[in-house]
Amino acid sequence: MPPDLRARPLALLRTERQRRMVVAVNRAAAVLGIAPGHTLSDARALEPALEVAEATPEADSILLGRIADWARRYSPWTAADEPDGVVIDITGCAHLFGGEAALAADLTGRLRAAGFAARAAIADTPAAGWGLVRFGNPEERRREALDGLPLAALRLAPEMVEGLHALGLRRIGDLHAMPRAGLAARFGGRLLQRYDQAFGRLDEPISPRRPVPDHRERLTFAEPIATPESIAGALRHLLGRLCKGLEAAGQGARRLRLDAHRTDQRVDDEPQSLTLGTSRPTRDPAVLARLFAPLLERIEPGSGPGPGLETLVLSATETGPLSAVQTGLDGEEVDGGLAELVDRLTLRLGERAVLRLVPRESWLPERCVAPHPPLERLPEPKPWPAGQPRPLRLLTPPEPVEATAPLPDDPPLQFVWRGVRHRISRAEGPERIECEWWRGEGSLGLAVRDYYRVEDGDGRRFWLFRAGLYRPGETPRWFLHGFLG
């Protein structure tokens, strides 16, 4: 918000039952006594020069989600708390920022610098934090601090609060001496649920906006880093820690994400992220560091006074089983060079430019394999038909040949391919393959095929098939489809 507008009284409005109602105000308007719930006429009576604008709850929700994502710099367990809050589970994270108080001060300081009015409370439960930050002293976290808060701090519906007021109950502490059965009978289970959540008697797990990876490492720097050497060194350190965790779990990384948080990152900006995929699970830090190396050039440490990165977070977003692997004298995985080459080519050319062939469920030879990106998980393998050898090389499309064969189903005695005659010395077959009924006559326009494995006098082995059946007035055609090993 521009500073000049921030200094003037401002209210956001929404139409309710054909009345213009105030739903939010800035600090200048609040000082004048204008508050959410006032009608526009009441607010204008307090301040005729009141600036007004239409409330946009959808845009507010999107912005709140971005702030929750930004808060992942402090913990991966963040969630938007509609309509105006963010809840963060900082268990095990506060020491990275110098303690809980320092973390809260850093968070609110950054939000205020971005133009937001912000308060932060640290409590033992999300419910207690919600009440303290809105109705109490955010720096107080003792149980007694909740006792003095109004009942609305339990996140109760206004009509329930009014009903409790009618009984003379106005503070949370007033509920301690009340019989639970009586409260439940009169107000339902919601009151006791909120009460127990506030005091930790009932769990209230936080559902993060994004799934939290099982394997994740974080590195926060005392001084921002900006040089390519320091960034690469920090990444190597993170990879070493991550791979140790993967080894302990018997897993290897298939996809990794590196999030880089800059010192000048705006609240509603995403961190700079690099993603890396591997063709098979791996936990070799040296290999992963080489794959990340060309990607690190994309990280911009920022400009202006004090640029640099203050936090790096490395996550294995997809993993796969990986048992103990054999390593060479250099400590690297044996036979890992081919996989690394595939990964390097994929990074350079794109995931759709490097493909491998995987089995596909089809009896038609030209359809029983399909191209598949190497970084994606393989589909369930479909083996060749049991007991039916297949050629190492297929011709696409099959090439016509002139064959001489006895009737009706004997193998050919000889065939001519590309002007060369091959006399058959050994043959096996036929193996009949029919096109899938839903494809009509198939991609080659051949409904029925009888395949033969044949060997000529020089020991060369071929895969031939006869297309069609011997019928009066019809002459079946012969094709060479592949070469047997």
Side-chain angles (χ1 to χ4, degrees), residues 88 94 213 219 295 298 305 357 365 461 475:
I88 310 172
L219 193 57
L295 301 180
R298 303 177 188 174
L357 297 178
R461 304 181 66 203
T475 302

Side-chain angles (χ1 to χ4, degrees), residues 285-329:
V287 171
L288 294 173
R290 287 197 292 267
L291 293 175
F292 261 117
L295 301 180
L296 293 180
E297 300 175 356
R298 303 177 188 174
I299 292 182
E300 293 289 342
S303 58
L309 307 178
E310 59 181 2
T311 303
L312 289 178
V313 180
L314 181 65
S315 306
T317 56
E318 184 179 331
T319 61
L322 181 62
S323 57
V325 296
Q326 182 181 358
T327 58
L329 296 177

Side-chain angles (χ1 to χ4, degrees), residues 103-116:
L103 186 152
D106 183 78
L107 186 149
T108 54
R110 291 175 182 272
L111 287 172
R112 289 166 184 161
F116 296 96

